[in-house]
Amino acid sequence: MINAGWRSNRFLGLSALGSLLALILGCTPSHPQSTFDTLGPVAKSQLDLFYLIFWVAVVVFIAVGGAFLYAAIRYRRRRGQGDPEQTHGNTKLEIVWTVIPAIVLIAIAIPTIITIFDNADAPILPKDGGLLIEATGHQWWFEFRYPDSDVVTANEMHIPVGEPVTVNLDSVDVIHSFWVPKLAGKVDMVPNNPNHLWLMADEPGVYYGQCAEFCGISHANMRFEVIAQPRAEFDAWLLAQAALPFEPVDPLAIEGKDVFLSIEAGCRGCHTVAGTSARGRLGPNLTHFGSRRQLASGILDNTQANLRRWLLDPNEVKPGNVMGEAAAIYVNPDKALTEPQISALVAYLRSLE
Amino acid sequence: MATLTFPIPRPIHPTGVWGWITTIDHKRIGILYGITAFVLFLTGGIEALLIRVQLAAPDQDIVTPEVFNQLFTMHGTTMIFLAIMPMGAAFFNFIIPLQIGARDVAFPRLNAFSYWTFLAGALMLKLSWVLGAAPNAGWFAYSPLTGLAANPGHGVDYWIVSLMLLGIASLAAGFNFLVTIVNMRAPGMSLMRMPIFTWMTLLTAILIVLAFPVITVALIELMFDRTFGTNFFVVSAGGNPILWQHLFWVFGHPEVYILILPAMGIVAEIIPTFSKKPLFGYPVVVLSGVTISFLGWMVWSHHMFTVGLGPVANSVFTVTTLIIAIPTGVKIFNWLGTMWKGSILLNTPMLFALGFVGMFTIGGLSGVMHASAASDAQQQDTYFIVAHIHYVLFGGAIFGLMAGIYYWIPKVTGRMFNEAVGKFNFWLLFIGMNIAFFPMHFTGLDGMPRRIYTYSSEMGWSFWNGVSTVGAFLVAVSMLIFVYNIAKCWLRGEPAGDDPWDARTLEWSIPSPPPEYNFVEIPVVQDRDDWWAQKRRQVRRAVPVAGGSEDGVEHSIHMPQASYWPFLVSIGLFIGAYGLIFNFAVAALGGVLAMISTYAWSFEPVNEPEETPSH
């Protein structure tokens, strides 16, 4: 494991006790965004710090709470009791209870600062051959670009297992935040203020991510997935994504392509499908839409029924989204897609593997 | 003032509603502040209940996403600016002159103006629900979500102008109490003899005076962006949204101490009273309050750990934030020292004060967890932070304020509340708030972001969200019990007497409720906890001062008289602020009314010549 390794056993004892807490919360697959079930060095380093402070806090709370409880019970007013001794203070005691917290806080500050600097940059930078992905926040979906391979996708970010990945973060509208709890803590996507983070997945799998900065009406519906694959699988995926999609052969899909590229439907004004006249950049790139696991920013499985539901009324799935609010086919009833057109579009989009 | 060529109308001994509208008596203004703030607190509570109902189970659509966003924006803004701050102001108004042995505040009419302008701002914000659209960008209003491009409606405009009004009200009150405490203390009350609540109020006033100009700058820039097309925060024109965050949190973090210091002051009065011991380590408690107020200016970027300020800035703000835990801890330890070997009475105010200590300690400790920037990366903008702020602001500030209400209500009304109901009120609230807010620690660490209007059942957040909602309703029930107990006390309580708690500070040396002039004779202070010392010496000493009289005949004490003008200036500001949103002609009209009223106010003598008694 890259530079976070020296720390991995450091708080083992604390972590063992802390697993009790993790049990309360569960770290099974039914808790896909649990910060306790870490599967990457960055999230792990942040959890280690949490445990350190957590156990200090437990000790402090029991000590302080216990002392207050003891005092409240032991010194309860008794009938006929006179005034207690009017003590005004005790300098020695007051120095002690100033210095002890100071020492404890220093013990928290030092590993914190080490972790902050460790997590600032990936151990293998993009300029030294590390993988670089450019993530851009939109209201309300995530766009991912692989600048070395000319691949653009949306809502799912593929990474190779066991390799540090640098993710550059930007936004085209308001502030979003990039967060994959099991891999790394969040970093905001701020327009006019590019950020970056790095993460690494220890195991292959699908990791849930979600926008963590309030970004408007569909903030809750802005999710994504990180798919960690063995290197060979990742390379194959990248290659397939870089290729042009196959021309549709199914007659319905061919009809769908015509609808997609028609001026009346207007899809191509905002969406790109490589190898066609659709080169819009406002909405997600749909070149390999059929290969994606999810649609509508990670809130629906990419099935035929869900795609139909989405095309029928996007605002019902994701309130306020640009397509539902601005596209003529959804704003102007005269231009609305007909049932056969929707079926054709569904066939075409699903053919874009 | 006989040279005036035009008459300025002035109420002469007004009664009824006019009596309240024109009052400049700090006690009446304090009551107005308290009742208004509590009603607004209940409205914020209703907003919270709607939020909790929506989140009680996954995939619900009881309110629309837009309304949900308005609910949490209004809930946060209401609780901070319309409930906790003005409840603090209610205590400043009622208690401070009594504690320092004064007959009123330094600027009584400015005090009335503070209240009416606060009410104008509160109405402006709350009316947005019915007048158009409520703000929907969060109480922190991060740019560029507040810009015209992302937010074309008028909700943000309501938010801006109401915060401007509230800022004017807060600044006027801040200056007023700063001057009052510095200048109007009774003879002999040196700074280090001041009651601790007065000390914390002084610090709060200083923080208000320094913090509100910063948010005002940010608000004006945002208003200019939205109204006049400037580009402070407009991203497409190169504006930097992080500027807003810095301005907001340079105000926003001291604001946290503006909310919590008065509650700390209240608790530091109650614990000594019901332990029958002086505050342990008084000078250190004062010093730690001063230190918190000072360090409170150096930690703002801990609200911005995930913004990308870089590892150096994050490390520096981690350290400053950790340091602020030290004076906070010192305060808690000194309260413990106060109770040690005391004679402790666990009645309602004391229970609330101890509840404050316990809940605030939890909030403080989770605060240390996100003071560590690296650990915070997983907590920022999750329900873990929601848990933290509710332990600090509900378990902390609200418990402290409720302790204060139970403690001083016998002084305010002259009547006693029902102790058994009070205790039940405490325990139900204590249990309810922990059921409501503790599970938020779990959901937050389980990856639930804040400000989402819905969540999917596959996320595993359903159970604890359901529990939180149950707790929220327990809190609501205990608040109704509180209203019942206080209302019954006020209307039909047993007479409380002047000093029911055998308390320590000067407000307990005068009748309950206090007469309009407070003190027949201005006391001469010889001790910290002077009233306690006086009682134990069995000797009352006081010297007559100008306006006082040996026999305590009240007609010879000159109090400043009621005035229309503060109220009218506030109405002018309200109209002007509304005009800023919709119509500049209306704004000008309001401005003219405010200006004329300000002139009339400044030419109005403190006492009408014909009202001045001849002797």
Side-chain angles (χ1 to χ4, degrees):
Chain A
M1 209 173 298
I2 329 278
N3 78 349
W6 66 272
R7 241 187 282 108
S8 56
N9 290 326
R10 196 133 177 232
F11 305 118
L12 198 65
L14 296 172
S15 306
L17 287 166
S19 58
L20 185 72
L21 189 74
L23 268 180
I24 297 175
L25 300 173
C27 46
T28 53
S30 64
H31 294 266
Q33 288 182 194
S34 169
T35 60
F36 291 104
D37 184 20
T38 62
L39 287 160
V42 177
K44 174 75 169 57
S45 71
Q46 291 157 340
L47 182 65
D48 287 341
L49 269 177
F50 171 80
Y51 277 137
L52 167 70
I53 306 170
F54 175 77
W55 289 111
V56 169
V58 167
V59 170
V60 170
F61 183 74
I62 291 174
V64 173
F68 267 92
L69 267 184
Y70 174 81
I73 294 165
R74 169 73 179 76
Y75 301 113
R76 279 184 95 148
R77 191 172 299 174
R78 290 179 297 275
R79 202 184 292 271
Q81 187 183 4
D83 291 345
E85 193 192 337
Q86 301 290 297
T87 46
H88 286 272
N90 180 329
T91 310
K92 238 184 245 168
L93 196 59
E94 287 166 44
I95 290 173
V96 167
W97 67 40
T98 309
V99 171
I100 290 179
I103 293 170
V104 172
L105 292 171
I106 290 171
I108 292 172
I110 291 171
T112 294
I113 291 171
I114 292 172
T115 309
I116 290 173
F117 279 89
D118 275 356
N119 290 351
D121 286 300
I124 302 174
L125 294 172
K127 67 178 168 63
D128 303 323
L131 178 63
L132 175 70
I133 300 172
E134 290 171 353
T136 307
H138 298 254
Q139 282 179 318
W140 290 270
W141 55 283
F142 290 90
E143 179 176 32
F144 301 103
R145 291 174 176 270
Y146 294 75
D148 299 333
S149 329
D150 213 18
V151 165
V152 185
T153 180
N155 306 334
E156 62 182 49
M157 182 174 108
H158 289 243
I159 59 170
V161 170
E163 293 180 31
V165 178
T166 298
V167 186
N168 282 351
L169 305 170
D170 204 346
S171 166
V172 296
D173 38 48
V174 301
I175 301 174
H176 304 279
S177 192
F178 180 97
W179 187 30
V180 192
K182 293 191 180 188
L183 298 184
K186 64 192 74 61
V187 175
D188 294 351
M189 312 170 100
V190 187
N192 290 356
N193 192 80
N195 282 333
H196 69 273
L197 59 67
W198 75 273
L199 47 76
M200 183 168 104
D202 294 337
E203 292 171 17
V206 176
Y207 299 89
Y208 278 40
Q210 186 161 9
C211 175
E213 179 68 60
F214 176 61
C215 56
I217 188 165
S218 262
H219 168 52
N221 301 323
M222 187 169 167
R223 290 161 50 184
F224 67 106
E225 288 179 346
V226 173
I227 297 165
Q229 298 162 306
R231 184 73 207 192
E233 226 175 273
F234 171 76
D235 286 338
W237 174 83
L238 207 56
L239 212 59
Q241 293 285 312
L244 294 182
F246 295 115
E247 279 297 315
V249 284
D250 173 40
L252 192 61
I254 294 169
E255 191 189 326
K257 184 178 181 184
D258 290 342
V259 175
F260 189 83
L261 297 178
S262 68
I263 291 174
E264 291 71 37
C267 307
R268 64 178 190 177
C270 296
H271 294 286
T272 293
V273 173
T276 73
S277 63
R279 298 207 184 96
R281 297 197 49 182
L282 281 176
N285 183 311
L286 300 175
T287 303
H288 291 283
F289 173 83
S291 72
R292 293 182 199 154
R293 289 164 40 89
Q294 311 229 285
L295 61 85
S297 191
I299 54 176
L300 290 178
D301 287 335
N302 191 359
T303 64
Q304 186 161 355
N306 280 338
L307 181 57
R308 171 175 286 277
R309 180 179 156 200
W310 169 251
L311 288 175
L312 206 58
D313 184 4
N315 272 340
E316 177 257 329
V317 175
K318 194 197 290 190
N321 76 87
V322 176
M323 187 162 87
E325 292 289 325
I329 51 172
Y330 297 110
V331 176
N332 184 347
D334 297 337
K335 296 192 173 171
L337 293 173
T338 62
E339 194 56 36
Q341 281 177 320
I342 290 179
S343 298
L345 273 177
V346 168
Y348 172 59
L349 289 172
R350 287 184 63 75
S351 77
L352 294 172
E353 297 225 344
Chain B
M1 282 294 146
T3 52
L4 270 180
T5 51
F6 60 95
I8 296 173
R10 164 145 232 171
I12 309 292
H13 302 305
T15 53
V17 175
W18 277 109
W20 285 96
I21 287 177
T22 59
T23 189
I24 55 171
D25 175 358
H26 72 95
K27 296 179 291 298
R28 292 188 127 200
I29 292 170
I31 290 169
L32 286 173
Y33 256 116
I35 291 176
T36 311
F38 194 80
V39 169
L40 290 163
F41 173 69
L42 295 180
T43 69
I46 292 167
E47 285 153 2
L49 287 180
L50 288 169
I51 292 171
R52 283 312 328 160
V53 168
Q54 165 75 8
L55 293 177
D59 298 313
Q60 294 204 103
D61 53 359
I62 292 163
V63 298
T64 65
E66 173 67 6
V67 168
F68 185 87
N69 293 347
Q70 293 172 331
L71 281 171
F72 71 69
T73 302
M74 290 292 277
H75 169 71
T77 310
T78 298
M79 289 309 193
I80 285 163
F81 293 102
L82 309 187
I84 299 179
M85 271 189 84
M87 270 195 232
F91 285 101
F92 303 165
N93 269 284
F94 203 98
I95 304 300
I96 292 298
L98 304 183
Q99 273 201 336
I100 63 174
R103 291 209 166 115
D104 208 320
V105 295
F107 309 114
R109 286 179 296 180
L110 188 67
N111 203 23
F113 166 77
S114 292
Y115 169 73
W116 293 112
T117 307
F118 149 66
L119 184 63
L123 287 177
M124 182 71 76
L125 188 72
K126 284 295 178 181
L127 281 175
S128 69
W129 276 122
V130 286
L131 284 183
N136 59 1
W139 86 278
F140 50 96
Y142 270 8
S143 135
L145 198 56
T146 49
L148 276 181
N151 212 329
H154 279 303
V156 173
D157 298 317
Y158 279 110
W159 185 86
I160 292 171
V161 296
S162 66
L163 251 62
M164 284 176 169
L165 290 172
L166 294 166
I168 292 168
S170 299
L171 279 171
F175 281 113
N176 208 343
F177 283 94
L178 185 53
V179 175
T180 301
I181 293 171
V182 170
N183 281 348
M184 298 188 59
R185 281 169 285 136
M189 184 180 279
S190 61
L191 284 176
M192 293 310 273
R193 282 182 187 165
M194 272 189 343
I196 198 73
F197 177 68
T198 304
W199 251 114
M200 293 306 128
T201 303
L202 177 64
L203 295 172
T204 306
I206 293 171
L207 289 181
I208 288 174
V209 164
L210 296 176
F212 270 82
V214 186
I215 183 83
T216 306
V217 167
L219 290 170
I220 288 174
E221 289 182 350
L222 181 59
M223 192 195 79
F224 271 46
D225 273 8
R226 291 180 61 89
T227 311
F228 302 118
T230 56
N231 294 317
F232 291 102
F233 309 116
V234 178
V235 172
S236 55
N240 190 342
I242 294 180
L243 171 65
W244 170 271
Q245 298 192 17
H246 281 299
L247 289 173
F248 188 83
W249 291 117
V250 167
F251 151 79
H253 201 81
E255 170 72 12
V256 173
Y257 296 106
I258 291 171
L259 300 173
I260 201 70
L261 284 175
M264 285 179 160
I266 291 169
V267 167
E269 294 287 354
I270 290 175
I271 289 179
T273 297
F274 295 108
S275 304
K276 285 197 181 266
K277 275 182 65 195
L279 184 63
F280 193 86
Y282 171 96
V284 181
V285 176
V286 169
L287 184 67
S288 62
V290 173
T291 313
I292 289 172
S293 308
F294 183 70
L295 287 175
W297 294 94
M298 301 181 187
V299 300
W300 78 91
S301 284
H302 69 210
H303 297 270
M304 301 163 61
F305 277 154
T306 64
V307 166
L309 301 179
V312 174
N314 281 359
S315 299
V316 169
F317 281 97
T318 290
V319 171
T320 55
T321 307
L322 289 173
I323 290 173
I324 218 166
I326 297 173
T328 312
V330 165
K331 271 179 179 287
I332 291 174
F333 294 138
N334 278 287
W335 295 332
L336 179 63
T338 308
M339 288 169 66
W340 208 257
K341 297 190 173 172
S343 165
I344 297 168
L345 184 64
L346 290 177
N347 62 357
T348 307
M350 186 65 167
L351 284 174
F352 271 99
L354 293 178
F356 169 99
V357 174
M359 299 300 96
F360 186 77
T361 303
I362 292 179
L365 290 171
S366 64
V368 174
M369 294 174 196
H370 31 265
S372 165
S375 163
D376 181 60
Q378 290 283 24
Q379 298 162 10
Q380 169 83 8
D381 277 315
T382 70
Y383 264 81
F384 192 82
I385 306 289
V386 181
H388 163 76
I389 66 136
H390 284 94
Y391 271 86
V392 173
L393 292 186
F394 195 101
I398 293 289
F399 268 51
L401 293 165
M402 288 177 75
I405 293 171
Y406 273 118
Y407 180 60
W408 277 302
I409 199 76
K411 178 55 61 186
V412 174
T413 64
R415 295 168 190 275
M416 189 52 86
F417 56 86
N418 184 312
E419 178 62 32
V421 177
K423 279 190 175 134
F424 179 66
N425 178 200
F426 168 76
W427 285 111
L428 188 63
L429 187 63
F430 184 79
I431 293 165
M433 95 136 245
N434 279 290
I435 293 177
F437 300 124
F438 207 83
M440 292 180 182
H441 291 114
F442 302 154
T443 48
L445 294 175
D446 206 12
M448 179 169 172
R450 307 172 76 167
R451 307 177 181 117
I452 54 172
Y453 72 92
T454 190
Y455 54 93
S456 149
S457 58
E458 64 169 335
M459 305 309 285
W461 305 328
S462 313
F463 176 73
W464 289 118
N465 270 294
V467 171
S468 279
T469 302
V470 171
F473 278 90
L474 288 179
V475 169
V477 171
S478 62
M479 282 302 165
L480 294 179
I481 294 170
F482 176 76
V483 173
Y484 163 80
N485 204 13
I486 295 300
K488 193 168 177 219
C489 159
W490 209 316
L491 300 171
R492 284 206 289 276
E494 298 290 320
D498 298 349
D499 185 13
W501 312 127
D502 189 15
R504 314 182 73 85
T505 41
L506 287 175
E507 72 270 29
W508 302 101
S509 68
I510 57 173
S512 305
E516 193 194 348
Y517 46 83
N518 298 349
F519 294 88
V520 175
E521 298 163 331
I522 297 299
V524 173
V525 175
Q526 294 170 318
D527 273 295
R528 195 181 292 157
D529 292 345
D530 193 61
W531 172 237
W532 170 273
Q534 278 185 48
K535 286 186 284 190
R536 295 318 187 255
R537 282 199 300 271
Q538 302 290 327
V539 183
R540 287 207 59 185
R541 286 187 216 197
V543 289
V545 293
S549 68
E550 296 279 327
D551 56 356
V553 182
E554 53 186 273
H555 65 79
S556 60
I557 299 174
H558 307 161
M559 295 303 294
Q561 288 170 349
S563 172
Y564 296 118
W565 303 112
F567 180 64
L568 284 171
V569 179
S570 299
I571 288 183
L573 289 180
F574 180 81
I575 296 169
Y578 190 77
L580 275 183
I581 305 178
F582 292 106
N583 187 325
F584 293 138
V586 174
L589 188 76
V592 168
L593 175 60
M595 195 174 293
I596 291 173
S597 306
T598 310
Y599 269 105
W601 171 350
S602 52
F603 284 114
E604 184 181 60
V606 174
N607 293 81
E608 287 300 324
E610 62 267 30
E611 273 289 291
T612 307
S614 53
H615 58 278

